[in-house]
Amino acid sequence: MSQTPTEQAPTHSSLTPLDIGHRQFPGRPGGYDRAGVRAFLGQVADQVEALLRERQDLRARLADLERELDERRQAEDEIRRAVVAAERIGHDLRENATRQCELMIEQAQSRREVLDRDAEARMAELEAQHQVRMQELEAAFRGRFADLERDHHQLTLERDRAHAERTVYLDRAFNERHADLTARLSVVRAEYTQFVSQYRALMQSFTELSARHLPAGDDLSLPGAGAALPLDAPTRVEEQQFV
């Protein structure tokens, strides 16, 4: 069904939800239901409004994405420039490091030569000092050794003299003690001989009296009767006491 020019939509390019919601349609016999058309237009207006809102959100999102893309592109450009600069700096650093290493090697070689010369001079000086010190120590050792030999000889003489004096003293003391003990031993032996003689005489008398007065067959002999005492018993006792 065609519309009259007064019933056609406005000629502007886009419609807003408000235009759709307030759109008026003229009445006509046998036409559409105004309430249904109004409800439908309200739904259309709501959907259009939602679509417009979504489109606005999408545009905002697109703007954000485009801005983020631009930022990332700028970051990539900066990173690329930084990488190029880093490569250039690395190349420069390698060249500088190479030159620095060569310079350090040259300086180290020069320093080593100087140190070698100083070490050789110091070694010669120390060797000379060592020789002088060795000579001094050798002279001191010889002097000290001579002193020690003299002291040792003196101590040996004193020890021999003291040993000789001690030997003479011990020999004299031993001889005196031996003479004293020999005299005492002679006295003891004489007393022991006299005692043995008296004991034997007593035993002889006792035996005769027993045989004379006791009946035949009885033996009342004293313990040890008839047993001879060794004459050298006191001698062994005295020798054991004075060993």
Side-chain angles (χ1 to χ4, degrees), residues 54-89:
E54 182 180 359
R55 187 182 66 177
Q56 186 176 1
D57 294 338
L58 291 174
R59 287 180 176 177
R61 178 61 178 167
L62 180 60
D64 294 337
L65 292 175
E66 289 178 351
R67 185 171 58 256
E68 184 178 355
L69 181 60
D70 292 337
E71 292 176 355
R72 290 191 177 182
R73 286 176 178 174
Q74 292 178 1
E76 289 179 357
D77 294 338
E78 292 178 357
I79 291 172
R80 191 178 296 106
R81 288 193 297 271
V83 169
V84 173
E87 291 178 352
R88 185 172 57 253
I89 293 173

Side-chain angles (χ1 to χ4, degrees), residues 160-173:
D160 294 340
R161 183 171 59 254
H163 179 70
E165 293 176 356
R166 180 65 176 171
T167 302
V168 172
Y169 171 76
L170 291 176
D171 289 341
R172 184 171 60 252

Side-chain angles (χ1 to χ4, degrees), residues 3-242:
Q3 295 180 350
T4 60
T6 58
E7 294 176 353
Q8 292 179 353
T11 59
H12 51 77
S13 59
S14 62
L15 294 177
T16 63
L18 185 62
D19 295 335
I20 296 173
H22 291 82
R23 177 68 175 173
Q24 299 292 331
F25 296 94
R28 177 177 296 178
Y32 293 103
D33 184 11
R34 290 180 175 271
V37 173
R38 183 62 58 187
F40 177 74
L41 290 176
Q43 293 177 359
V44 172
D46 293 338
Q47 292 180 2
V48 170
E49 185 177 3
L51 291 174
L52 291 176
R53 207 177 279 120
E54 182 180 359
R55 187 182 66 177
Q56 186 176 1
D57 294 338
L58 291 174
R59 287 180 176 177
R61 178 61 178 167
L62 180 60
D64 294 337
L65 292 175
E66 289 178 351
R67 185 171 58 256
E68 184 178 355
L69 181 60
D70 292 337
E71 292 176 355
R72 290 191 177 182
R73 286 176 178 174
Q74 292 178 1
E76 289 179 357
D77 294 338
E78 292 178 357
I79 291 172
R80 191 178 296 106
R81 288 193 297 271
V83 169
V84 173
E87 291 178 352
R88 185 172 57 253
I89 293 173
H91 180 70
D92 295 340
L93 288 175
R94 283 194 297 270
E95 292 182 353
N96 292 332
T98 302
R99 289 193 297 270
Q100 189 69 22
C101 290
E102 293 175 354
L103 180 60
M104 291 175 64
I105 291 172
E106 293 177 357
Q107 292 177 354
Q109 291 177 351
S110 301
R111 181 61 177 171
R112 186 188 64 182
E113 293 175 357
V114 174
L115 292 176
D116 290 340
R117 289 193 298 271
D118 294 341
E120 291 176 358
R122 182 61 178 170
M123 183 64 69
E125 181 180 359
L126 291 175
E127 184 66 24
Q129 293 178 359
H130 176 71
Q131 293 296 331
V132 173
R133 182 60 178 169
M134 288 297 295
Q135 293 175 1
E136 293 176 354
L137 291 175
E138 186 176 0
F141 172 76
R142 289 179 179 177
R144 182 59 178 168
F145 185 75
D147 295 338
L148 290 175
E149 283 186 340
R150 184 172 58 255
D151 294 341
H152 177 70
H153 181 67
Q154 186 68 26
L155 290 174
T156 302
L157 293 177
E158 292 178 358
R159 184 189 62 186
D160 294 340
R161 183 171 59 254
H163 179 70
E165 293 176 356
R166 180 65 176 171
T167 302
V168 172
Y169 171 76
L170 291 176
D171 289 341
R172 184 171 60 252
F174 175 77
N175 293 328
E176 293 177 356
R177 184 64 174 169
H178 184 268
D180 181 46
L181 292 176
T182 302
R184 291 174 61 184
L185 182 60
S186 299
V187 173
V188 170
R189 284 180 176 177
E191 292 178 354
Y192 179 74
T193 302
Q194 184 179 1
F195 169 76
V196 170
S197 298
Q198 294 176 358
Y199 179 76
R200 287 178 177 175
L202 179 61
M203 291 301 297
Q204 184 67 29
S205 299
F206 182 76
T207 302
E208 293 176 356
L209 290 174
S210 297
R212 187 182 304 167
H213 296 287
L214 292 177
D218 293 337
D219 186 7
L220 296 178
S221 61
L222 293 176
L229 294 176
L231 296 178
D232 59 346
T235 304
R236 290 198 297 269
V237 173
E238 290 294 337
E239 289 177 355
Q240 291 177 2
Q241 290 179 354
F242 297 103

